[in-house]
Amino acid sequence: MNLVQAMHISKNYFWLEIFIDAGTVAVVVVLITRYLLRTGRLTPRMNLRRESMQLQAGVFAFGIEALLMLIFPLFTFTTHHQLIILLDGILFASLTLLVVHYYLATGSNENPQVPTVKAQKSALKVFLLVCYLFCLSLFLLFLINMTQQQKQIHITQLIDQEQQQLSLIKENLTHQVYDATLDTLILARQVNLQNVLINQPEALSELTTDYINLSEIKPSYEQIRFINHEGLERLRINQDYQGQLVVTEDKLQDKSNRYYFTDAFHLNPGEIYISPMDLNIEKGRIELPFKPIVRTATPVSDSLGNKQGIVIINLNASELLKQLKLSAKTSIGEMMLLNQDGYWISGREQDAAWAFMFPEFKNRTMEKYYPGVWKTISANKNGFLKTPDGYFVFETVETSQPLLALNSSGQKQQHPVWKLVTLVRPEIIAADLSDVSPPLGLFFIMVTLVTGIGALMYYRVQHNNIKAQQKIHHLAHHDPLTGLCNRRLFSQVLELELARTKRHKGSLALVYLDLDNFKSINDVYSHSAGDYVLEQFSERLKLILRESDTLARLGGDEFAAILPIPGTKEHLEVIAQRIIHTFKEPMIFNEQSLNVGISIGIAIHYNGQPMESLLHEADQAMYEAKKAGGNGYRFDR
């Protein structure tokens, strides 16, 4: 398993990993079985050949290891990887040993008993049922693994899609904040502002015009203000539905106690302060309707370097949130924007949005609604988290990131951090995968039916084979290739014919036939060609000999024929010549012409001659014909 995993096979090809691993252990099991058989430590069951036992042991090992490798991925293990490999090895060894011992091997072959036909049928039923259920289990586990893999791929694609979406939204948010910070720095270095600091005539009027122009260009700037070192507003431009409004001197306010003034004023000139996103407060009350604001400010210093106040821009974040909600329409999850303390800025508008602005709702954080989730989100810049509520995909919006190049002091400043989060609920994932499950279920049912019918048909075939065992005695006395009598039956027939000849004082001839140069056909054209020649040879002989004659294949390319009442020697010569003439016609195998000759030895039985002598004389006559160059015949005398 370690070796296969070291290949780094893609998860999309998990079946290849299973095949390699199971195939490897199957080869090892075959080699071990072969060694145990050769050393006599393992004995195959009755009627089971050693080669078959090795093959079946390998097949069982392959199936068991494949089954384990399909089962393990379905469970989530918290144990070490090496322990899983150890568990796999123990289970594999135990199951394989049990199967090989109880199904393939026996302790000894003493007093073997041939199973009855009924027992064979029962064993066949059990074997087919076990194999059918086992293969069906493998297929079902394969489909389950494939479904889980497709589900995981689908989830990964959804998460990647959401992460890309969050990344684009993040870039848009930081870009708009960054634009405001640049404008703030430009306003702080204006010549007209410096003239205001030294109380030049018309300077405040010119500065007002500058602020109005910027406000017209940037309608998202809710307010542009200059606040002096005492926290008093000296100039303020408001943006409303009527356009730009210059606040009169009698309506300018004291902001010395506001957090954004004190925090910004303590910075060095050239440094930027960015406030958290909150709701705008006018005259001590939250402005209605809610107006989310992000403030960018920077200290203003005179020509001597003394700080004289701050320039501040109120960026109306409503447009940011509108764009966020528009982007959320292309997302499959629930889009949220939270501040660094885990409070909702966007999302959950009905019960938790802007809860930090209201003392009575300070407990409505993400931790309350989704326990444990905020701890992970706040500790990481981006990623995803799987929970019972679904997948939380998150991205961190750091407003300070674009400003690092502008911070010349080298001091680390605290800027607001927001968390973009999207929640992909399980029902959304399930709905996307709902189109896959029915076809797979139907496919499994079809395979179950087809393989079940196939197993039933196979059983019927084997059942017929078992019934046909009563014919084994007949088949045991005939050559399987040519269908002729084999040596055993030939000897029995010859004994009967000799007894009949002796009893009726008849005549009998024994003919031995051997093909010439048959070995070269096997060597040059393959054994299939040799088998074809033997079959054709026997068929041609049947056409020449009589029905009363007995034709047999003694082995290899040796044939023999028993000819009762053969007639005179001249009649036997005619038969021999006809046989030789017949085999002058070539045999066609795979469009190749095969030429063979035949050597014939003929022995005529005389009264009182024993069978062994007759066989010897026919055999010697055939060898005489072969020594003479073949493709001819000889008599025993």
Side-chain angles (χ1 to χ4, degrees):
M1 188 179 289
N2 268 331
L3 177 63
V4 174
Q5 292 180 351
M7 298 179 182
H8 302 292
I9 299 174
S10 172
K11 290 184 178 180
N12 294 337
Y13 300 97
F14 71 96
W15 50 268
L16 181 59
E17 181 177 335
I18 293 174
F19 182 83
I20 294 175
D21 185 78
T24 302
V25 297
V27 171
V28 173
V29 168
V30 169
L31 294 176
I32 294 175
T33 305
R34 179 181 177 84
Y35 170 76
L36 294 176
L37 288 172
R38 293 187 65 180
T39 57
R41 300 179 185 180
L42 192 64
T43 304
R45 282 193 179 276
M46 183 70 177
N47 298 327
L48 184 63
R49 299 185 61 179
R50 292 172 177 263
E51 295 78 5
S52 298
M53 182 175 182
Q54 296 174 34
L55 177 62
Q56 292 187 37
V59 171
F60 286 138
F62 182 92
I64 291 171
E65 179 63 11
L67 182 68
L68 292 175
M69 290 196 69
L70 287 169
I71 290 176
F72 278 124
L74 301 181
F75 300 95
T76 303
F77 293 98
T78 57
T79 56
H80 195 269
H81 176 68
Q82 298 299 329
L83 293 178
I84 298 177
I85 295 178
L86 179 62
L87 178 62
D88 174 76
I90 293 174
L91 290 174
F92 168 76
S94 302
L95 293 174
T96 305
L97 183 62
L98 287 172
V99 171
V100 171
H101 177 72
Y102 286 105
Y103 179 71
L104 299 178
T106 58
S108 67
N109 271 339
E110 296 180 1
N111 301 321
Q113 294 182 356
V114 179
T116 63
V117 173
K118 184 177 181 181
Q120 291 183 55
K121 290 180 181 178
S122 178
L124 179 62
K125 287 181 182 179
V126 174
F127 175 74
L128 286 179
L129 181 61
V130 171
C131 289
Y132 174 68
L133 294 178
F134 183 78
C135 293
L136 208 60
S137 299
L138 281 179
F139 182 67
L140 178 61
L141 288 171
F142 176 80
L143 288 181
I144 293 174
N145 275 267
M146 186 173 67
T147 303
Q148 284 197 347
Q149 183 194 67
Q150 293 300 317
K151 178 180 178 181
Q152 191 57 47
I153 292 174
H154 179 68
I155 291 172
T156 301
Q157 291 175 344
L158 292 181
I159 291 173
D160 290 342
Q161 175 184 329
E162 293 301 293
Q163 286 178 331
Q164 293 176 8
Q165 184 79 0
L166 294 181
S167 181
L168 292 174
I169 297 173
K170 167 190 171 180
E171 293 297 326
N172 184 40
L173 290 175
T174 54
H175 177 74
Q176 295 198 44
V177 174
Y178 181 58
D179 282 351
T181 59
L182 290 180
D183 288 337
T184 303
L185 289 173
I186 292 172
L187 292 178
R189 299 178 183 181
Q190 278 187 302
V191 175
N192 288 333
L193 180 56
Q194 292 295 320
N195 292 336
V196 169
L197 296 180
I198 60 177
N199 295 318
Q200 281 193 5
E202 304 297 328
L204 185 60
S205 175
E206 293 175 356
L207 184 63
T208 301
T209 302
D210 292 339
Y211 285 8
I212 291 174
N213 291 336
L214 180 59
S215 182
E216 289 178 348
I217 297 173
K218 300 289 182 70
S220 61
Y221 291 172
E222 183 70 20
Q223 293 179 357
I224 303 177
R225 292 176 287 173
F226 167 57
I227 303 175
N228 66 17
H229 64 283
E230 295 178 348
L232 301 175
E233 293 179 340
R234 288 286 309 279
L235 176 60
R236 173 175 171 180
I237 305 297
N238 284 350
Q239 184 92 244
D240 60 17
Y241 65 95
Q242 294 180 342
Q244 292 71 39
L245 176 65
V246 180
V247 178
T248 58
E249 187 174 353
D250 59 309
K251 293 184 179 180
L252 295 175
Q253 300 176 24
D254 181 1
K255 299 296 183 179
S256 59
N257 61 341
R258 296 290 286 156
Y259 69 92
Y260 53 81
F261 171 76
T262 56
D263 290 347
F265 190 72
H266 284 92
L267 296 178
N268 296 321
E271 293 182 340
I272 284 290
Y273 167 79
I274 303 175
S275 75
M277 187 184 298
D278 57 17
L279 298 177
N280 192 46
I281 296 178
E282 289 293 339
K283 298 179 181 180
R285 294 185 178 181
I286 296 176
E287 186 177 356
L288 295 175
F290 289 168
K291 186 179 292 183
I293 296 295
V294 176
R295 302 168 183 85
T296 60
T298 186
V300 175
S301 59
D302 57 20
S303 58
L304 299 177
N306 298 319
K307 287 191 284 187
Q308 298 297 325
I310 65 169
V311 171
I312 182 169
I313 294 178
N314 283 17
L315 177 62
N316 189 340
S318 298
E319 289 299 320
L320 298 180
L321 299 182
K322 285 181 182 179
Q323 293 180 16
L324 177 66
K325 292 178 180 179
L326 286 175
S327 300
K329 293 182 178 180
T330 61
S331 171
I332 62 170
E334 301 174 18
M335 191 74 68
M336 313 172 192
L337 180 65
L338 300 98
N339 65 15
Q340 58 194 15
D341 297 320
Y343 287 98
W344 273 276
I345 295 174
S346 178
R348 298 196 73 98
E349 278 78 10
Q350 294 182 352
D351 57 354
W354 305 108
F356 64 91
M357 297 295 297
F358 302 91
E360 64 272 25
F361 301 140
K362 283 293 182 70
N363 65 330
R364 296 185 179 181
T365 62
M366 174 172 271
E367 187 63 27
K368 173 186 176 182
Y369 293 93
Y370 305 106
V373 173
W374 179 249
K375 183 178 180 181
T376 301
I377 292 178
S378 60
N380 298 276
K381 285 191 174 182
N382 51 51
F384 68 93
L385 177 65
K386 182 181 179 182
T387 71
D389 296 298
Y391 284 86
F392 286 89
V393 186
F394 57 91
E395 180 70 64
T396 301
V397 180
E398 296 178 310
T399 56
S400 61
Q401 190 64 30
L403 306 176
L404 296 179
L406 301 176
N407 186 0
S408 58
S409 68
Q411 297 180 357
K412 187 176 180 180
Q413 300 177 37
Q414 295 295 328
H415 292 94
V417 174
W418 304 320
K419 293 287 184 177
L420 277 167
V421 182
T422 179
L423 171 58
V424 182
R425 296 193 177 275
E427 52 268 24
I428 295 177
I429 298 175
D432 290 338
L433 294 173
S434 60
D435 294 338
V436 179
S437 299
L440 286 179
L442 180 60
F443 180 53
F444 176 73
I445 294 173
M446 291 177 61
V447 170
T448 302
L449 293 175
V450 171
T451 53
I453 294 172
L456 181 60
M457 294 176 65
Y458 178 78
Y459 169 75
R460 295 184 64 180
V461 170
Q462 293 302 315
H463 179 265
N464 292 332
N465 289 339
I466 293 174
K467 289 175 61 178
Q469 286 181 358
Q470 57 187 331
K471 299 180 181 179
I472 288 179
H473 180 75
H474 169 76
L475 297 176
H477 291 79
H478 290 78
D479 176 56
L481 178 64
T482 62
L484 302 178
C485 299
N486 60 14
R487 185 181 292 272
R488 178 186 298 177
L489 183 58
F490 173 78
S491 299
Q492 295 175 359
V493 173
L494 182 58
E495 288 181 351
L496 293 175
E497 289 294 336
L498 288 173
R500 186 184 62 80
T501 301
K502 182 179 180 181
R503 184 168 58 252
H504 297 288
K505 300 184 184 304
S507 60
L508 177 71
L510 180 62
V511 180
Y512 264 33
L513 307 101
D514 189 87
L515 296 177
D516 297 332
N517 302 319
F518 179 72
K519 184 176 182 300
S520 62
I521 292 179
N522 280 333
D523 294 340
V524 176
Y525 298 103
S526 79
H527 288 280
S528 297
D531 292 344
Y532 177 77
V533 168
L534 294 175
E535 291 174 350
Q536 291 296 309
F537 179 76
S538 63
E539 292 298 326
R540 293 186 184 185
L541 284 178
K542 289 178 184 178
L543 296 176
I544 297 173
L545 299 179
R546 300 167 300 179
E547 292 184 1
S548 59
D549 299 335
T550 301
L551 180 62
R553 181 188 177 195
L554 303 183
D557 57 345
E558 287 188 351
F559 292 79
I562 304 172
L563 279 62
I565 314 177
T568 64
K569 184 176 181 180
E570 288 74 15
H571 290 151
L572 291 174
E573 287 181 346
V574 171
I575 294 174
Q577 290 171 358
R578 287 177 61 190
I579 293 174
I580 293 171
H581 177 74
T582 299
F583 285 94
K584 288 182 179 180
E585 182 181 349
M587 302 177 188
I588 308 300
F589 177 77
N590 288 343
E591 300 181 356
Q592 293 177 330
S593 178
L594 306 179
N595 293 289
V596 293
I598 185 169
S599 298
I600 304 173
I602 305 172
I604 301 175
H605 178 262
Y606 59 87
N607 291 332
Q609 184 182 18
M611 184 176 68
E612 293 76 10
S613 174
L614 181 64
L615 292 172
H616 178 72
E617 288 184 359
D619 187 56
Q620 288 298 314
M622 184 267 294
Y623 276 108
E624 291 294 331
K626 191 172 286 290
K627 286 180 182 179
N631 209 28
Y633 62 91
R634 290 290 186 273
F635 284 88
D636 57 337
R637 54 183 181 275

